[in-house]
Amino acid sequence: MRTGLKKIKDHWKFLRSLSTQHWRHLLRGLTRGEINLILFWLGLAIVSLGFMSGYDYWALRIAAPAAGGNYSEGLVGEPRYLNPILASTNEVDRDIATLIFSGLVKHDNRGQIIPDLAESYKISADGKTYEFTLRDKLFWPDNKPLTSDDVVFTLNLIKDGKYQSPLRNNWQGIKIEKIDDKKLNIKLPVEYEPFLENATVGILPQHLWVNIQPQNFLLTQLNTKPIGLGQYQLTKITKNAAGSVRSMELSPNPKYYQKANIAQLVLRFYENQENLISGYKRGEIDGFSLNSPKEKDDIKNRSVNFYNLKLPRYFAIFFNQTKSDVLSDVNVRKALAYATDRKTITEEILKSEAEEQSGPFPFGVLTLKPPAQTYEFNIESAENTLDKAGWKKSSENGIREKKLSGQKKVSPLEFTLTTTDWPELTQVASLLKTDWEKIGVKVNLDVVPVNAIQTQTIRPREYEALLFGEVLGLNPDPFSFWHSTQRKDPGLNLSVYSNKKVDGLLESARQMLSPQEKIKKYQEFQNIIMSDLPAIFLYSPNYIYAVSDKVRGFETEAINTPSQRFENINQWYIATKRVKKQ
C-alpha cells in the first residue's frame, strides 16, 4: 500500500515538474479523438468532484450557529444604575444588568430555574438551607478568580440598608456563610419555596467594590461602567450633547463559561415608544418590545418575527385610600368595578392579545378556582350600588355627591386616575373615564411620562387611583404586593392595603412546600381581596417581542420579568457554519 502511494506521489511530482512547453509537446502528439476522450474524463471528474462536495455540504452537514453578526435593540428610557442590586426599579437597568452580570442561577427557556455561575446546588430536607457550588475556572475580566467571597459580599450589600438596594426585603433574616472558595450556604429563617428566584441576582466583584463607602455607592463610576461576569461586556457608550446616553455597544464576554454567538450587540435608547418605532422604521434597530398589539400593524410587513411570551403580569387600578376619602368607601370601589368593561378593553384596545383578569393572580399561573365574588360589567348594578350607599346624583351636573363622615359639606364623587403615557394605558384610562362618568363619577386623568412615574408618583405614593401593571413571577409570591409591611417604598403594595388576615395568609403560604396547601391559602387570600376590593383587576396581556428574522435561536417561551428575555442570549445567532451531522 505504501509502495503504491509512493508511486502516485512520484508521478504527481513528475507531472508538476513539467513545463508549459513539455505539455504542448505532449498534446501535439495526441489525435483529436484522444484529446476529446481526455477532456470527457476530465469533465466527468470535475462534475463528480462538484457533486461529492455538494452532497457533503448539503446532505452530510447541517447549519449550526457561528460567531458573527450584529444585533441592535431599542429601549425606552435611559440607564441609570448598571448594578444588579440597584437595577430592579428601572427596566432599562434590569435589561443591561441581565446582559453584563450573572447570578448563582438563572432561568431556562421555559422559565425554570437552572444553575448559572453555580455548577450545582442542594436544598436541605427542611427547605431552609441551600448549598451552592461554583463552577471551576471562572474569572472576572481583570483575571481575578470568582470565589464564594464575591457572592457573600454581594448578598450582604443587599441586606445592608446603607446601600439602599430595592432587593433588601427579599434577604432580611437570611444568613450567608462561606464554606470554602467554591462553596457557600444560604440559610433561611423559615422554608420559602420561591427562594431560588432571589438567587438570580447578579454577583459583583468584591475586589472592585469593597472599598466604596455607602455614601459613595450610588455615585461610583462602576454603576455606569459595569464589570460583571455575564454573557456580554460593555465596550462603548455614546452620549449626546446634553450628556444623555444614546447607545451602548457590547461584545461577548470571553470569561463567561458559554460564549455568545452574536459578535456585537447595540442597545439604543429612546425617549418614548413612538420615537423607538420611528427609529425601527429608519433601520436603526433590529428589535424591540411592543407596548401595544396595535404596534404590530406598523411593522408587520417588515422582516420580523413576533414572539408572544408568557409573562405573569396583570394591569389593574390600585386605589390609594389614604389619598382619597371617596375611594375609602368600598361601595364606590365596587360600583366602579361593575362599571368597568374588560371585554372592550381586551378585544378593542388590546386586539385580543390579553386575557380578562378577575383576581390578584395572572391568568394561568396557578390552578385557582374563580373568586367567590366577581364584578361583571353591569351599569345597572353600579348605579344601584351607589344609590344604596347614599351617593345621589346632583341635579346641576349629574355628578354624585354625599356628606362623608366628619365633614360638614357634601363631597362630590370625584378622584384623579393616574397612569403613564404608554398609548395602550392612556386609551384604557380614557375608556374607564367615559364608563365611570356614565354612573355619575367625575374622573380627572393624570398622565405621567413613563420615565418619571416611578420617582414622582409610585415611590412617594402620590396618587389617588393608579392604572399600572405588576409582575408576580411564574412561581408567584404576592407578599410584596399586598402585605401591610410593603405599603411604603421599596414595597410594591400600590393600594397601600392593610388586612391582618391577609398578612397571615401571605406569611404562611410562602413557607409551604406543598402546592396543595399553598393553593388553599391563596384561594382564601383571593376571596378576601375581591371582597375588600383595594384594586380593580383588568387584564393580563401577552408580552410581544419583535425581533429581526435574521436572528435565530430564540426559543424562550416564558419569562418572569421582561429583562429575562436576555438570559439565554448566548443561544441566539445570526451567522452560521456547516458541520457534520452527528
Side-chain angles (χ1 to χ4, degrees):
M1 181 70 177
R2 289 183 179 178
T3 303
L5 287 173
K6 187 176 185 303
K7 288 181 178 180
I8 292 172
K9 289 180 179 179
D10 290 342
H11 290 148
W12 176 245
K13 186 176 181 181
F14 170 73
L15 292 172
R16 289 178 62 188
S17 69
L18 295 176
S19 67
T20 304
Q21 285 187 340
H22 287 139
W23 280 106
R24 287 176 180 172
H25 180 73
L26 288 173
L27 290 174
R28 287 196 191 102
L30 297 176
T31 66
R32 184 66 181 175
E34 288 173 330
I35 292 175
N36 289 339
L37 185 62
I38 291 173
L39 291 175
F40 169 78
W41 286 109
L42 181 61
L44 184 62
I46 293 172
V47 170
S48 298
L49 182 62
F51 174 79
M52 293 302 296
S53 298
Y55 180 78
D56 175 73
Y57 188 82
W58 295 109
L60 301 182
R61 298 173 183 266
I62 58 173
N70 302 323
Y71 172 73
S72 58
E73 180 156 325
L75 305 175
V76 174
E78 187 177 351
R80 187 181 182 194
Y81 299 121
L82 305 184
N83 180 330
I85 77 171
L86 299 173
S88 64
T89 57
N90 182 317
E91 194 164 318
V92 170
D93 290 348
R94 288 199 302 268
D95 287 346
I96 301 170
T98 300
L99 292 165
I100 295 176
F101 295 90
S102 290
L104 292 170
V105 295
K106 67 175 185 176
H107 302 86
D108 65 12
N109 288 323
R110 296 174 298 156
Q112 302 299 308
I113 292 288
I114 58 173
D116 195 9
L117 295 182
E119 182 179 59
S120 62
Y121 60 86
K122 294 187 293 186
I123 307 174
S124 63
D126 63 3
K128 295 181 182 180
T129 301
Y130 292 72
E131 181 183 298
F132 294 90
T133 301
L134 300 179
R135 295 180 187 272
D136 289 330
K137 300 179 181 178
L138 287 181
F139 297 88
W140 297 102
D142 59 4
N143 290 321
K144 298 285 186 181
L146 170 75
T147 71
S148 55
D149 289 319
D150 296 303
V151 182
V152 173
F153 172 78
T154 301
L155 301 183
N156 281 332
L157 283 186
I158 294 173
K159 291 178 60 180
D160 190 337
K162 294 192 295 291
Y163 293 91
Q164 303 179 47
S165 172
L167 303 175
R168 183 172 176 241
N169 286 339
N170 295 339
W171 292 90
Q172 291 308 292
I174 295 176
K175 294 181 179 180
I176 302 104
E177 300 175 346
K178 174 183 177 180
I179 300 175
D180 58 35
D181 281 350
K182 292 297 178 184
K183 291 185 178 181
L184 68 144
N185 275 340
I186 298 180
K187 296 183 178 181
L188 281 58
V190 295
E191 58 183 339
Y192 176 49
E193 193 263 339
F195 164 74
L196 283 172
E197 291 291 339
N198 298 341
T200 61
V201 63
I203 303 303
L204 298 172
Q206 179 188 24
H207 62 284
L208 298 179
W209 286 89
V210 67
N211 293 321
I212 296 176
Q213 298 302 309
Q215 63 268 26
N216 299 321
F217 191 72
L218 300 179
L219 306 174
T220 175
Q221 283 193 345
L222 285 171
N223 286 325
T224 55
K225 296 180 180 179
I227 297 175
L229 192 43
Q231 300 170 87
Y232 278 82
Q233 58 186 1
L234 183 61
T235 56
K236 182 179 179 181
I237 298 176
T238 302
K239 298 182 179 181
N240 61 16
S244 298
V245 178
R246 294 295 85 199
S247 69
M248 286 184 169
E249 294 180 15
L250 301 95
S251 62
N253 185 354
K255 303 297 184 180
Y256 189 66
Y257 62 93
Q258 293 176 331
K259 188 176 179 181
N261 296 303
I262 298 177
Q264 185 182 58
L265 180 63
V266 180
L267 303 177
R268 300 191 186 280
F269 307 104
Y270 298 88
E271 292 182 359
N272 53 53
Q273 190 76 359
E274 183 179 356
N275 291 349
L276 183 151
I277 294 175
S278 295
Y280 177 81
K281 291 178 178 179
R282 291 192 299 268
E284 295 174 355
I285 55 176
D286 301 311
F288 64 97
S289 300
L290 276 66
N291 274 356
S292 169
K294 289 183 178 180
E295 293 171 358
K296 277 187 175 182
D297 297 334
D298 285 342
I299 61 173
K300 64 183 179 182
N301 294 326
R302 295 173 178 262
S303 300
V304 64
N305 291 322
F306 294 104
Y307 298 96
N308 280 353
L309 307 183
K310 182 178 181 182
L311 175 61
R313 63 175 172 172
Y314 59 73
F315 285 81
I317 303 107
F318 300 94
F319 297 117
N320 184 355
Q321 299 172 44
T322 66
K323 294 291 184 180
S324 171
D325 291 333
V326 298
L327 293 176
S328 65
D329 185 343
V330 68
N331 293 298
V332 169
R333 303 195 299 273
K334 289 183 176 182
L336 294 172
Y338 280 124
T340 298
D341 188 355
R342 296 175 184 81
K343 185 176 181 181
T344 297
I345 292 174
T346 56
E347 291 184 359
E348 296 185 11
I349 296 178
L350 299 168
K351 303 295 184 182
S352 299
E353 292 277 7
E355 298 282 348
E356 291 183 37
Q357 187 73 22
S358 59
F361 291 98
F363 178 79
V365 297
L366 290 176
T367 54
L368 292 173
K369 298 177 183 177
Q373 187 170 0
T374 57
Y375 305 87
E376 299 299 327
F377 180 57
N378 191 316
I379 293 295
E380 184 177 351
S381 295
E383 297 267 14
N384 291 339
T385 300
L386 291 175
D387 288 340
K388 291 178 182 178
W391 289 95
K392 304 301 180 183
K393 284 187 176 181
S394 167
S395 57
E396 295 180 3
N397 55 22
I399 302 299
R400 291 179 182 267
E401 56 187 19
K402 178 184 177 180
K403 184 181 289 187
L404 300 177
S405 176
Q407 295 185 4
K408 296 181 179 180
K409 297 181 179 180
V410 295
S411 296
L413 185 41
E414 177 183 0
F415 64 90
T416 298
L417 175 62
T418 302
T419 192
T420 73
D421 57 358
W422 285 9
E424 173 186 293
L425 291 182
T426 55
Q427 290 177 58
V428 172
S430 295
L431 177 64
L432 293 171
K433 173 182 171 68
T434 299
D435 285 343
W436 290 346
E437 288 182 343
K438 292 176 182 177
I439 62 172
V441 181
K442 184 178 180 181
V443 181
N444 306 303
L445 293 184
D446 177 27
V447 179
V448 181
V450 66
N451 57 1
I453 195 164
Q454 285 285 351
T455 55
Q456 294 181 13
T457 306
I458 293 178
R459 287 179 185 170
R461 303 296 194 258
E462 288 295 333
Y463 53 85
E464 294 180 335
L466 176 70
L467 171 56
F468 204 65
E470 289 186 332
V471 181
L472 267 74
L474 295 168
N475 187 2
D477 176 16
F479 182 94
S480 295
F481 303 97
W482 298 106
H483 196 276
S484 60
T485 60
Q486 306 300 301
R487 289 176 293 174
K488 294 182 179 180
D489 184 70
L492 299 172
N493 185 342
L494 302 183
S495 292
V496 198
Y497 177 67
S498 179
N499 183 303
K500 290 184 178 179
K501 190 167 186 180
V502 163
D503 286 351
L505 290 169
L506 294 176
E507 291 164 9
S508 57
R510 70 192 330 223
Q511 298 173 22
M512 291 181 172
L513 298 181
S514 167
Q516 292 78 16
E517 291 301 314
K518 181 180 290 189
I519 289 293
K520 288 181 182 178
K521 297 291 183 182
Y522 283 153
Q523 191 76 56
E524 187 175 357
F525 155 73
Q526 177 175 256
N527 287 337
I528 295 173
I529 289 292
M530 294 308 291
S531 177
D532 289 351
L533 211 65
I536 297 175
F537 304 96
L538 300 177
Y539 58 90
S540 178
N542 295 334
Y543 181 82
I544 307 173
Y545 190 35
V547 181
S548 168
D549 60 6
K550 73 178 183 181
V551 176
R552 286 168 279 185
F554 184 88
E555 298 179 354
T556 300
E557 301 171 2
I559 52 179
N560 278 290
T561 63
S563 62
Q564 287 177 14
R565 69 192 185 278
F566 288 138
E567 278 191 306
N568 296 291
I569 195 172
N570 61 293
Q571 298 174 7
W572 302 10
Y573 63 97
I574 296 173
T576 60
K577 60 185 177 181
R578 305 293 294 187
V579 298
K580 287 186 177 180
K581 293 180 179 179
Q582 298 295 326

